Amino acid sequence: MAVRRRPAAAAAGDPPTQPPPGDAVAAPGEPAKEPVLRPPNLIVAAAVAVLFLAPFSYLAFVHYPLGADLRGSILKCGAMSLGGFFIVLKLIPVAARYHLRRRMFGYDINKKGLPTGEIKVPEALGLVVGIVYLVIAIIFQQFHYAEDSIWLVEYNAALASVCFMILLGFVDDVLDIPWRVKLALPTIASLPLLMAYAGGTSIIIPKPLTQYVGLTVLELGVFYKLFMLLLAVFCTNSINIHAGINGLEVGQTVVISAAVLIHNVMRIGSSTDIETQQAHEFSIYLVLPFLTTSLALLAFNWYPSIVFVGDTYTYFAGMALAVVGILGHFSETLLIFFLPQVLNFLCSVPQLFHFVPCPRHRLPRFDPQTGLLTGTKDGNLVNIFLRLFGKCSEKALCIRLLIFQVDLKCHLAADHYLTLLKFCFLTSEDLMN
């Protein structure tokens, strides 16, 4: 989480603004010094990639007898996504220097009182991930979809919504838009998706919930597009408010996108309906490059963060996952994958709607003497975890929250592959430490 400090525009005739303490100022006649970023934490990115992509690869290429054409398309998408991973690794330091020059930086509040809390951390680096993702997705359609493909319209509508959301998210990072306006941004960005959608209007009730609902399929009719709109608004804002510690924003989206990948390949392998298989195949092609580019960002955003992702990334990530779930026809299952975000939103309702006072940053208290975080009375999962389980470091808190994200999926999904995924993630805590 960052505290933004941007210089106000100088009026005509005002004296030149003095740089704040800590700015690197070159002596007259000397070239300006470029800020140097620490190298990314590639060990964490590699460990998470192996833990999440290994089950997906096993299911797609060993367990299920998928067709050769489908496997070939997944390999093509995977190769392009891997290229996107390395491109993001290369571009983030370059973009970070430009952001620092334009004074788009913040200070890490959870390190206040330490030398690391005085370091300028470039903001809104989710812009790099969003641009690289769009380029990969656009190029991939040239290799896979024919000009008369029935999926091409929805594919381009999905990319248009994602692109719109990246733009609006970056505008928010630059202009610091009020919360009441932020709620309207996903509504605007989802318009291309709503106008192009021509699929079914029913939702399948997830198996864990059928005993409570009494239905397996719920027909929404004309209200389905309203459901799509509300889902897009929720996904974008729920990731944005479940944040505040290094690695949490990117980490939760990596976990959700990995669960989406595994769910897609399981549905393809277990279904005999061609349209269902095509919908989940469509979803794989959109979420695989999203996962790999986000892993590259995670390497920079993991504790201690080298860059901040900004609202650009949280809005982009939420919209990308929303369109994947909607066009993949598993929007109801996507809500299960978002269950921690649902809980965080419900706990946050009193403050978000100002029934009780809501501070600007609902963050825990940091003790520079011990390096530990203490929970406050704010109603979000970050503080609730600290109140329930006691003080801990920022990195330990992030890992606990991500394990909770995986744990809920494993309890709600009646499949042993997600249980295996849970086991792999639990054993990864030592690697991340």
Side-chain angles (χ1 to χ4, degrees):
M1 180 61 65
V3 177
R4 294 172 182 154
R5 298 181 185 176
R6 299 193 184 95
D14 284 352
T17 306
Q18 296 298 321
D23 278 358
V25 181
E30 293 183 3
K33 295 180 180 179
E34 290 286 351
V36 179
L37 299 181
R38 298 191 309 274
N41 195 334
L42 294 178
I43 295 178
V44 169
V48 174
V50 170
L51 289 169
F52 287 141
L53 290 177
F56 167 74
S57 301
Y58 170 76
L59 293 174
F61 297 100
V62 178
H63 184 77
Y64 289 115
L66 305 184
D69 291 342
L70 175 56
R71 286 179 173 173
S73 296
I74 292 176
L75 285 175
K76 290 178 185 176
C77 185
M80 297 178 66
S81 301
L82 181 61
F85 172 84
F86 290 107
I87 292 173
V88 171
L89 284 180
K90 185 69 174 178
L91 290 182
I92 282 182
V94 177
R97 289 193 291 270
Y98 279 97
H99 285 212
L100 287 173
R101 291 175 192 170
R102 302 304 302 170
R103 303 189 62 77
M104 292 185 63
F105 62 83
Y107 298 99
D108 201 326
I109 298 177
N110 289 328
K111 299 176 183 62
K112 188 176 181 179
L114 298 177
T116 51
E118 301 300 320
I119 297 175
K120 296 175 182 177
V121 183
E123 283 190 340
L125 268 300
L127 180 66
V128 175
V129 179
I131 293 174
V132 174
Y133 170 80
L134 284 175
V135 171
I136 294 173
I138 292 170
I139 294 176
F140 175 76
Q141 72 175 338
Q142 300 300 319
F143 294 94
H144 183 73
Y145 290 108
E147 293 183 359
D148 57 347
S149 173
I150 59 175
W151 288 99
L152 196 56
V153 173
E154 291 187 350
Y155 191 90
N156 287 325
L159 296 185
S161 291
V162 171
C163 182
F164 214 159
M165 198 70 257
I166 293 171
L167 171 63
L168 295 176
F170 189 69
V171 168
D172 183 24
D173 279 325
V174 174
L175 302 181
D176 201 11
I177 298 174
W179 265 104
R180 61 183 179 274
V181 180
K182 289 183 181 183
L183 292 175
L185 298 182
T187 305
I188 299 172
S190 61
L191 288 178
L193 180 64
L194 295 176
M195 297 302 103
Y197 183 78
T201 57
S202 61
I203 60 174
I204 300 174
I205 305 299
K207 290 182 180 179
L209 302 180
T210 53
Q211 57 180 328
Y212 304 107
V213 178
L215 297 171
T216 57
V217 178
L218 178 62
E219 177 62 43
L220 295 180
V222 295
F223 294 103
Y224 188 79
K225 287 194 174 183
L226 177 61
F227 169 74
M228 291 168 54
L229 175 62
L230 295 177
L231 180 64
V233 172
F234 170 76
C235 289
T236 51
N237 286 284
S238 64
I239 293 178
N240 194 35
I241 65 174
H242 187 38
I245 59 177
N246 293 172
L248 182 57
E249 295 97 323
V250 189
Q252 63 184 295
T253 56
V254 166
V255 173
I256 295 172
S257 56
V260 168
L261 268 181
I262 294 174
H263 172 74
N264 282 328
V265 73
M266 288 171 55
R267 289 290 294 156
I268 293 174
S270 61
S271 176
T272 57
D273 182 69
I274 299 299
E275 185 176 349
T276 299
Q277 292 179 342
Q278 289 179 343
H280 288 282
E281 177 185 345
F282 175 93
S283 176
I284 288 176
Y285 300 147
L286 284 177
V287 80
L288 188 54
F290 173 70
L291 173 59
T292 57
T293 52
S294 294
L295 282 171
L297 181 60
L298 181 64
F300 288 92
N301 189 242
W302 189 253
Y303 181 92
S305 288
I306 306 170
V307 302
F308 291 139
V309 300
D311 291 342
T312 306
Y313 179 79
T314 57
Y315 287 153
F316 152 65
M319 182 58 71
L321 292 170
V323 299
V324 161
I326 291 170
L327 298 181
H329 299 166
F330 60 94
S331 52
E332 63 287 342
T333 305
L334 184 67
L335 282 176
I336 290 183
F337 294 156
F338 270 82
L339 189 54
Q341 286 71 27
V342 174
L343 295 175
N344 186 67
F345 171 75
L346 293 176
C347 294
S348 302
V349 163
Q351 287 186 314
L352 294 179
F353 292 94
H354 296 286
F355 299 131
V356 296
C358 181
R360 176 177 173 81
H361 300 293
R362 301 185 303 154
L363 296 177
R365 289 191 300 270
F366 175 70
D367 184 357
Q369 302 299 324
T370 62
L372 301 180
L373 297 174
T374 303
T376 65
K377 294 182 179 180
D378 292 316
N380 54 5
L381 287 184
V382 170
N383 285 292
I384 290 174
F385 262 59
L386 289 170
R387 295 201 300 268
L388 289 177
F389 304 111
K391 301 177 182 179
C392 67
S393 66
E394 185 176 358
K395 180 165 67 172
L397 177 59
C398 181
I399 293 174
R400 290 177 185 178
L401 289 167
L402 295 182
I403 290 176
F404 179 66
Q405 183 93 35
V406 176
D407 191 67
L408 284 180
K409 294 175 179 57
C410 298
H411 280 89
L412 289 172
D415 192 277
H416 63 280
Y417 292 110
L418 285 181
T419 305
L420 173 63
L421 182 62
K422 172 189 173 183
F423 173 77
C424 292
F425 192 85
L426 287 172
T427 57
S428 69
E429 182 171 356
D430 291 335
L431 291 174
M432 293 184 178
N433 284 325

